[in-house]
Amino acid sequence: LARTARSDGDRARKMLAEVLAAIQSCEQRLQEVEPEFRERSQILRSHQERLARAHSSMEGLYGRLGRGSQFATRAERDKFLQTHITSLQKQLTQRSSGLKKQQQDLQSETTKVDNERTLLRAAEKESAERSQKC
């Protein structure tokens, strides 16, 4: 029985040593490969950025091409753009006035809340004074 336990322990130690050797080998291989991996990752990111810039440029060119074929003359294009600009300016004016109105309403409500707080504090103080008199 002792011999079996000893041989099982020896076998377990041997397997542990093999696993540790395999781990060490893998870690060494990782250290060898990691710099190349980092370099290639950087190259990949660089290529992806170039591709994104190329796509952006291509979309801009397609946009110009589309606008160029949309209008027969420059005057038509300018008229369309001016109408679009005017529409956007109206939207901006409407939104700005809406924002101004909301800011005024907020200020008004803030003033009301402050007044209510003042009245509440005065009422609480008066109530506290009455309860002390009793």
Side-chain angles (χ1 to χ4, degrees), residues 5 13 18 20 116 120:
R13 280 189 210 91
E18 290 174 358
L20 290 174
E116 292 293 325
L120 180 62

Side-chain angles (χ1 to χ4, degrees), residues 14-124:
K14 184 177 179 183
M15 288 176 62
L16 177 62
E18 290 174 358
V19 169
L20 290 174
I23 290 173
Q24 187 177 11
S25 173
C26 289
E27 286 177 345
Q28 183 179 1
R29 177 71 179 133
L30 177 63
Q31 288 178 357
E32 292 171 2
V33 175
E34 191 174 19
E36 183 179 347
F37 171 78
R38 290 183 191 278
E39 180 182 334
R40 288 186 183 205
S41 293
Q42 181 62 33
I43 291 170
L44 176 63
R45 280 190 292 274
S46 173
H47 287 305
Q48 287 172 334
E49 289 170 4
R50 285 180 51 209
L51 180 62
R53 286 193 303 269
H55 277 291
S56 176
S57 176
M58 186 173 69
E59 287 174 8
L61 292 173
Y62 279 136
R64 282 191 207 159
L65 179 63
R67 286 190 300 271
S69 64
Q70 183 179 358
F71 305 105
T73 65
R74 243 188 176 159
E76 287 179 10
R77 182 201 67 191
D78 290 348
K79 183 178 177 183
F80 170 80
L81 290 175
Q82 190 58 48
T83 303
H84 192 62
I85 289 170
T86 303
S87 172
L88 291 174
Q89 286 174 335
K90 284 180 185 177
Q91 287 179 19
L92 179 61
T93 302
Q94 290 171 348
R95 289 182 182 176
S96 294
S97 65
L99 177 62
K100 187 174 182 180
K101 172 81 170 97
Q102 288 177 348
Q103 287 172 335
Q104 290 171 345
D105 291 347
L106 177 62
Q107 183 61 40
S108 173
E109 292 299 318
T110 302
T111 302
K112 287 179 185 178
V113 168
D114 289 343
N115 290 338
E116 292 293 325
R117 282 185 182 154
T118 302
L119 292 173
L120 180 62
R121 284 188 199 121
E124 286 174 346

